[in-house]
Amino acid sequence: MKLKFHNFEFNFLKKTYIMGIINVTPDSFFDGGKYFNFQKAVDHAFRLIDEGADILDIGGESTRPGAEPVSIDEELRRVIPVIEAISKRISIPISIDTYKARVAEEAIKAGATIINDISGLRFDAEMSAIASKYKVPVIVMHIKGTPKDMQKNPYYEALIPEIIEYLRDSVVIAKQAGVDENMIIIDPGIGFGKLPEHNLTIIKNLREFSNLGKPLLIGVSRKSFIGKVLNESLPEKRLEGTASAVAISVINGANIVRVHDVGFMAKVVKMADAIKFS
C-alpha cells in the first residue's frame, strides 16, 4: 500500500510513519502554551524533523475534551504564519489539523499538503471539496459528538462496527466530492468520544479496520486512557504508557502514529517495525 501526493511517497509496506504534533494553542491538554509563540512553534518544527518526524501536524485549536471552539480568524492567525515560515524550508509534508474548510484551504495555500479532519468531513460540508480541489490526502477521523461534549457518557451498542461504519461513510463523502480513494487515510479517533476501555479495545482490534482498505493513523500520545491504566493524572508521566500503546498499535496494523515525543517514539517505532516487517 502506497500514498503518492505532490512530491511525496509513503510506502506502508516498508515502514510506519511518524507524525509530529505541533499545537499552536494555549490550551491543548499536554503542551498547551508551549508552542503558542510563533518562533517557539517554528523552532519546534525543525526539532521534530531532526528527531525523525515524517509529517508535521500543525493545529490552531485544541480538541481536548471540553474544549471551546475558536473562530476561523483566530485559528488562521495562529497557524498560517507558522506554515508559511517552515513549508519552503523542509522536505517533509505538513498536515493541517482542522475541521474548518477555510482554514484548510488557507493552510494549503501556505504550504500544507495534508488535511487532518477530526470530524471525518462532518463538521464543515465544504471540507471534502477542498481536499478534492487541491488533490491532497485527507485523514478522516471518528468522533462521537464534539470536543466540547464528546466525553459525556459515550455509549456504543457495538464499538468497532460503529466506528468502521462511520469511517466508511466518511470515505464515501470524500469520494463523492471527487477525492481520489487512494488519498484517504482513516483514524479511529482514540479518546474522541470513548471511555478508557473503548480505547483499549480499539488498539487491541486495530486489524479489523484493515477491511476498509485504507492507511490507518492512530493517535495515542499521552492521552487520558493511559493515565487511567497507569494511575498517572499528569500527561507528563505517560511517556512509557504511550510507548507501549504505540508499539502495540504498530504491530496491530497502524501505518502512521501521531505523537508528541518524536525522538523517543522513533526508536519505539523502529523496533516495532523490525518485528512487524521481519
Side-chain angles (χ1 to χ4, degrees), residues 86 115 128 132 149 177 238-239 245 258 273:
I86 65 175
I115 296 171
S128 55
S132 174
D149 62 17
R238 300 173 189 164
L239 182 64
R258 183 179 182 273
D273 272 356

Side-chain angles (χ1 to χ4, degrees), residues 80-102:
I80 298 303
V82 176
I83 295 171
E84 287 178 338
I86 65 175
S87 61
K88 291 181 175 62
R89 299 166 58 192
I90 66 175
S91 57
I92 67 170
I94 295 171
S95 165
I96 177 64
D97 180 3
T98 187
Y99 55 82
K100 302 182 182 82
R102 185 179 160 215

Side-chain angles (χ1 to χ4, degrees), residues 147-209:
K148 187 172 175 60
D149 62 17
M150 64 189 179
Q151 291 307 107
K152 294 179 180 177
N153 303 312
Y155 172 77
Y156 298 85
E157 291 281 350
L159 176 68
I160 303 297
E162 287 179 38
I163 297 173
I164 288 175
E165 188 61 29
Y166 183 102
L167 294 173
R168 183 178 285 114
D169 289 345
S170 291
V171 169
V172 169
I173 292 169
K175 289 169 64 177
Q176 287 179 340
V179 177
D180 185 329
E181 65 178 330
N182 295 315
M183 301 278 268
I184 304 169
I185 300 164
I186 59 170
D187 178 352
I190 294 291
F192 285 82
K194 284 95 175 171
L195 298 175
E197 55 265 34
H198 293 146
N199 297 314
L200 298 175
T201 299
I202 291 167
I203 294 169
K204 183 178 180 180
N205 294 280
L206 266 188
R207 291 207 176 277
E208 293 194 33
F209 293 92

